[in-house]
């Protein structure tokens, strides 16, 4: 029998493991107009811009209730005018979700889709844009957690800028661990969420946005609650959310920002995640699993591994046994490949990665899956 625990070690792209002090920060009741809470909102907005660092003269930070998808929908439904046309670069499920969002809102849409193991390069995007007319906005996912691939958002940004289009980047799973230069990349809208690399809890997301682009979006919103411009205008005018905010989530996030600073900022957090990823891939290869992506395309956020070809391997059993042992991984989300995913982010270190690897060895042995490594050379 495996030991059981009510709290699992989460090896996912978010929600993920948070520190005890982040959780403790939620043990407080505040009103949405309480001066302490309004100070928290101001503090979070300022510090998110400082993470770039992004110029306070040129960029704004807007907080929006809901999951990451809510925040992406806020941008898509608010940024694009009625006569605009959106190009979505798709190499995974989350790019497809952006396209689906545009369709729901009746936005004119063009989709450029490539294989899920192929990253977008500036050459690909430039060639595509040269054959299209009328595109006013381009959207791409930075780290597409369907596979773990990392798209070249900075280089793509130069191409989008030369084409005269606005640039929307879904940095849900990368912001806070992978440096992103909005100005150099010509990014107009950078989108992320509380419960990813900053290691907060779910409940809101945020948009870092070029002020000119934000001001030009006035009146474009297709929804009331997700109106990005009005949300910003309200925060600028009176400091608070238009509708009930996730107060405890924001208090937790403020503490998470403190802990990000204590760790050494975005670079230091990225280095910890990178060490986790290296240990994970080395251990999984030793066990016998194959990484789905080419090494040069792989992020250190989440990694897809191909199913074992051993007839004794059944992913449902593998997942359930690991879960019972206290380790939660993610099923695959790829369209045409049988893979599962393991995240390297959250309040984990190489120690937890090694514990997971040992659990995987025990589970495979229990399933009767025995690996024979091929020696190289």
């Amino acid at each position: 029998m495996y030991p059981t625990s009510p709290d699992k070690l989460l090896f996912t792209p978010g929600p993920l493991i948070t520190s005890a002090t982040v959780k403790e920060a939620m043990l407080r009741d505040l009103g949405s107009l309480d001066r302490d809470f309004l100070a928290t909102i101001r503090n979070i907005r300022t510090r998110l811009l400082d993470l770039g660092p992004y110029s306070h003269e040129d960029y704004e930070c807007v907080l929006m209730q809901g999951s990451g998808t809510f925040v992406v929908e806020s941008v898509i439904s608010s940024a694009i005018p009625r006569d605009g046309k959106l190009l979505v670069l798709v190499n995974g499920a989350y790019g497809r979700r952006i396209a689906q969002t545009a369709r729901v809102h009746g936005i004119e849409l063009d989709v450029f889709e490539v294989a899920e193991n192929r990253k977008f390069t500036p050459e690909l995007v430039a060639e595509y844009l040269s054959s299209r007319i009328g595109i006013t906005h381009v959207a791409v996912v930075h780290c597409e957690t369907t596979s773990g691939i990392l798209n070249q958002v900075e280089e793509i940004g130069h191409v989008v800028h030369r084409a005269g289009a606005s640039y929307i980047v879904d940095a849900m799973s990368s912001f806070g661990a992978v440096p992103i230069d909005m100005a150099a990349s010509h990014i107009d809208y950078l989108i992320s969420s509380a419960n990813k690399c900053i290691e907060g809890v779910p409940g809101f997301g945020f948009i870092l946005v070029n002020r000119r682009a934000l001001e030009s979006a006035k009146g474009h919103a297709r929804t009331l609650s997700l109106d990005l411009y009005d949300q910003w205008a309200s925060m600028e005018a009176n400091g608070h959310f238009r509708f009930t905010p996730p107060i405890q989530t924001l208090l937790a996030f403020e503490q998470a920002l403190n802990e990000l600073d204590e760790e050494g900022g975005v670079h230091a957090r990225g280095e910890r995640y990178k060490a986790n990823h290296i240990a994970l891939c080395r251990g999984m290869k030793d066990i016998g699993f194959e990484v789905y992506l080419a090494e040069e395309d792989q992020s250190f956020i989440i990694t897809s591994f191909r199913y074992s070809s051993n007839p004794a391997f059944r992913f449902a059993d593998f997942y359930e046994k690991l879960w019972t042992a206290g380790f939660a991984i993610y099923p695959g989300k790829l369209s045409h490949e049988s893979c599962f995913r393991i995240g390297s982010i959250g309040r984990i270190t190489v120690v937890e990665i090694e514990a997971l690897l040992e659990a995987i060895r025990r589970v495979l042995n229990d399933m009767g899956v025995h690996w024979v490594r091929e020696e190289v050379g």
Side-chain angles (χ1 to χ4, degrees), residues 66-104:
S67 71
T69 298
F70 283 57
V71 186
V72 171
E73 184 163 5
S74 173
V75 172
I76 299 302
S77 63
S78 297
I80 303 164
R82 297 303 190 274
D83 60 352
K85 183 178 182 180
L86 174 67
L87 167 63
V88 184
L89 307 176
V90 175
N91 57 352
Y94 297 95
R96 284 191 286 275
R97 188 177 294 177
I98 294 174
Q100 180 186 4
T101 301
R103 292 188 188 99
V104 166

Side-chain angles (χ1 to χ4, degrees), residues 12-13 31 49 80 94 114 116 126 154 217 241 247 296 337 349 376:
T12 65
L49 287 172
I80 303 164
Y94 297 95
V114 299
E116 291 168 330
E154 182 166 340
F241 285 67
I247 292 171
E296 61 270 20
E337 297 277 355
T349 67
V376 178

Side-chain angles (χ1 to χ4, degrees), residues 68 72 94-95 98 139-144 153 168-174 189-192:
V72 171
Y94 297 95
I98 294 174
V140 67
V141 178
H142 186 199
C143 178
E144 177 55 86
V153 295
I168 300 168
V169 174
D170 175 341
M172 205 65 60
S173 298
S174 57
Y189 300 86
L190 186 70
I191 310 165
S192 194

Side-chain angles (χ1 to χ4, degrees), residues 9 77 85 88 100 129 133-134 151 184 199 214 222 236 257 274 287 312 324 329 341 360:
L9 285 174
S77 63
K85 183 178 182 180
V88 184
Q100 180 186 4
L129 282 172
I133 59 172
N151 288 309
E199 298 182 4
L214 180 58
R222 295 160 175 83
E236 287 295 290
L257 285 172
K274 193 177 299 183
I287 292 169
T324 301
I329 62 172
R341 297 174 292 162
I360 287 172

Side-chain angles (χ1 to χ4, degrees), residues 14 34 123 125 136 142 186 220 225 256 261 271 288 296 314 326 329 332 344:
D34 187 295
E123 294 79 16
V125 178
T136 60
H142 186 199
H186 303 287
H220 293 165
S225 60
D261 287 346
E271 288 301 306
E296 61 270 20
R314 295 177 179 83
I329 62 172
S344 306

Side-chain angles (χ1 to χ4, degrees), residues 15-210:
L16 35 71
I17 295 174
T18 57
S19 70
T21 42
V22 164
K23 288 186 271 285
E24 287 167 3
M26 293 188 287
L27 301 177
R28 187 181 182 194
D29 293 318
L30 288 175
S32 59
L33 302 181
D34 187 295
R35 70 179 64 182
D36 287 352
F37 180 62
L38 295 182
T40 290
I41 294 173
R42 288 194 303 272
N43 184 37
I44 288 172
R45 293 179 67 201
T46 297
R47 292 171 71 181
L48 284 171
L49 287 172
D50 289 343
L51 280 183
Y54 307 122
S55 163
H56 288 234
E57 294 181 358
D58 299 323
Y59 296 94
E60 295 286 350
C61 176
V62 188
L63 311 181
M64 184 67 70
Q65 302 96 318
S67 71
T69 298
F70 283 57
V71 186
V72 171
E73 184 163 5
S74 173
V75 172
I76 299 302
S77 63
S78 297
I80 303 164
R82 297 303 190 274
D83 60 352
K85 183 178 182 180
L86 174 67
L87 167 63
V88 184
L89 307 176
V90 175
N91 57 352
Y94 297 95
R96 284 191 286 275
R97 188 177 294 177
I98 294 174
Q100 180 186 4
T101 301
R103 292 188 188 99
V104 166
H105 290 286
I107 295 168
E108 188 175 357
L109 178 67
D110 207 345
V111 175
F112 179 22
E113 184 162 359
V114 299
E116 291 168 330
N117 63 352
R118 185 182 184 189
K119 67 183 177 185
F120 279 102
T121 64
E123 294 79 16
L124 271 177
V125 178
E127 181 180 0
Y128 189 87
L129 282 172
S130 69
S131 66
R132 297 297 190 276
I133 59 172
I135 291 170
T136 60
H137 293 70
V138 177
V140 67
V141 178
H142 186 199
C143 178
E144 177 55 86
T145 55
T146 300
S147 63
I149 205 164
L150 198 67
N151 288 309
Q152 296 177 270
V153 295
E154 182 166 340
E155 295 86 346
I156 292 168
H158 300 315
V159 174
V160 173
H161 180 67
R162 287 196 296 271
S166 292
Y167 192 27
I168 300 168
V169 174
D170 175 341
M172 205 65 60
S173 298
S174 57
F175 184 84
V178 181
I180 303 170
D181 188 332
M182 286 187 69
S185 306
H186 303 287
I187 297 171
D188 293 295
Y189 300 86
L190 186 70
I191 310 165
S192 194
S193 178
N195 57 287
K196 301 291 185 175
C197 294
I198 298 180
E199 298 182 4
V201 300
F204 82 98
F206 49 90
I207 305 98
L208 305 175
V209 53
N210 180 287

